[in-house]
Amino acid sequence: VHGGAIASLADSAVAMALIGLVDPKDRITTIEFKINFFVSVDKGGLKANAKIIHKGSKTAVGDVEVINEEGRLVAKVIATYSIMRRN
């Protein structure tokens, strides 16, 4: 699996974890993203487990672990999001 596909999965997981914590009118955008890859993936499914470790009024930080079907850690991510309030 290409690293970009794993990164996209992780980024989407953080967005889903955050979207329930902000007002539906607010817009969220990734502003920083750090990923470490640990093992390659050539078959099987992947799962991204994300949690928000900090949410302020203007930014939020998410932590993600991407694991393979055997439960092995494939990648670890820290992502920072901007929260833009809309009236």
Side-chain angles (χ1 to χ4, degrees), residues 1-8 10 33-41 46 66 73-77:
V1 176
H2 186 276
I6 296 170
S8 181
F33 192 87
K34 163 81 167 84
I35 188 166
N36 289 97
F37 298 101
F38 300 109
V39 296
S40 62
V41 177
L46 295 173
V66 179
L73 185 62
V74 171
K76 178 75 171 175
V77 173

Side-chain angles (χ1 to χ4, degrees), residues 64-82:
V64 187
E65 291 188 348
V66 179
I67 58 172
N68 65 14
E69 288 181 342
E70 290 80 38
R72 192 163 179 201
L73 185 62
V74 171
K76 178 75 171 175
V77 173
I78 297 290
T80 305
Y81 274 66
S82 171

Side-chain angles (χ1 to χ4, degrees), residues 22 26-28 55-60 81-85:
V22 298
D26 293 346
R27 297 187 39 103
I28 58 173
K55 183 192 166 292
S57 62
K58 295 184 180 183
T59 62
Y81 274 66
S82 171
I83 302 168
M84 294 170 279
R85 304 272 181 224

